[in-house]
Amino acid sequence: MMIRGKTIAFLVAPEGVEQVELSEPWRAVELAGGTPRLVSIRPGRVQAFNHLDKADTFPVDMTVDDVSAAEFDGLVLPGGVANPDMLRTEPKAVRFAKGFFENGKPVAAICHAPWTLIEADVVRGRTLTSWPSLQTDLRNAGAEWVDQEVMIDTDGPNTLVTSRKPDDLKAFCQAALDAFSE
């Protein structure tokens, strides 16, 4: 699957992103010929985690203050508990994520990342999967929740790819690349 010439935004908070949910899709985008860009709410570096332990830091390419969804071909929302919890409290981050739906661009969200999409009010009428603890939040926001490795929903303005956890990354990355190549 080639996405040569496509630029994919990875939206993360300054800390709390699950490292493997950032690094594996990032690598998949690069290997498929795409250009990943790390977008955050503050400049500098983001602190990734391996569950609850600090892991590596990654340089921010741009902030939500400086970009819009129109500049990208797709969006990846990695998980981790703290990462999307912080993002959903930042109006500019929420507007940035919502912009991909408004522009009909594919979005891939894993683990706890759908919290940001709930805040953006873009899950109503969609079918998603996530970390199991989000199922009530998603249902309350009008989504149907399923427990499966990857869910590809096309019943909306864009393709929405979701997965539950790091064990699902192989299927998640493939489905995301398929969506980004369209």
Side-chain angles (χ1 to χ4, degrees):
M1 188 59 54
M2 296 304 291
I3 58 171
R4 190 167 315 288
K6 297 197 176 192
T7 303
I8 309 301
F10 283 71
L11 177 61
V12 299
E15 65 179 340
V17 65
E18 186 70 29
Q19 181 161 317
V20 70
E21 293 175 359
L22 170 62
S23 62
E24 287 299 309
W26 185 282
R27 187 170 58 111
V29 166
E30 287 181 325
L31 290 173
T35 303
R37 288 288 175 249
L38 192 60
V39 179
S40 191
I41 56 177
R42 291 196 291 267
R45 298 184 74 80
V46 298
Q47 176 66 62
F49 280 74
N50 291 324
H51 191 51
L52 298 175
D53 298 322
K54 283 187 176 181
D56 298 327
T57 63
F58 298 89
V60 172
D61 293 312
M62 52 204 67
T63 69
V64 292
D65 293 323
D66 303 323
V67 295
S68 74
E71 299 171 46
F72 298 93
D73 299 294
L75 173 65
V76 174
L77 293 167
V81 178
N83 173 52
D85 193 45
M86 184 181 294
L87 288 176
R88 69 183 175 160
T89 66
E90 294 288 337
K92 289 179 182 177
V94 173
R95 277 193 302 276
F96 179 69
K98 187 173 188 161
F100 286 84
F101 290 78
E102 294 170 342
N103 286 285
K105 296 183 178 187
V107 173
I110 188 168
C111 195
H112 289 77
W115 267 340
T116 305
L117 301 179
I118 291 169
E119 193 65 32
D121 193 24
V122 295
V123 300
R124 188 170 316 283
R126 307 296 295 264
T127 303
L128 291 84
T129 192
S130 67
W131 186 255
S133 65
L134 272 67
Q135 64 183 294
T136 300
D137 297 336
L138 284 162
R139 287 184 182 127
N140 287 342
E144 178 183 344
W145 185 84
V146 295
D147 184 11
Q148 58 191 55
E149 183 178 53
V150 67
M151 178 64 208
I152 303 163
D153 182 289
T154 57
D155 291 333
N158 65 339
T159 299
L160 176 58
V161 175
T162 53
S163 284
R164 303 169 300 190
K165 57 190 174 185
D167 289 348
D168 300 337
L169 276 165
K170 183 176 181 184
F172 176 75
C173 291
Q174 185 58 60
L177 291 177
D178 290 346
F180 298 149
S181 71
E182 295 174 357

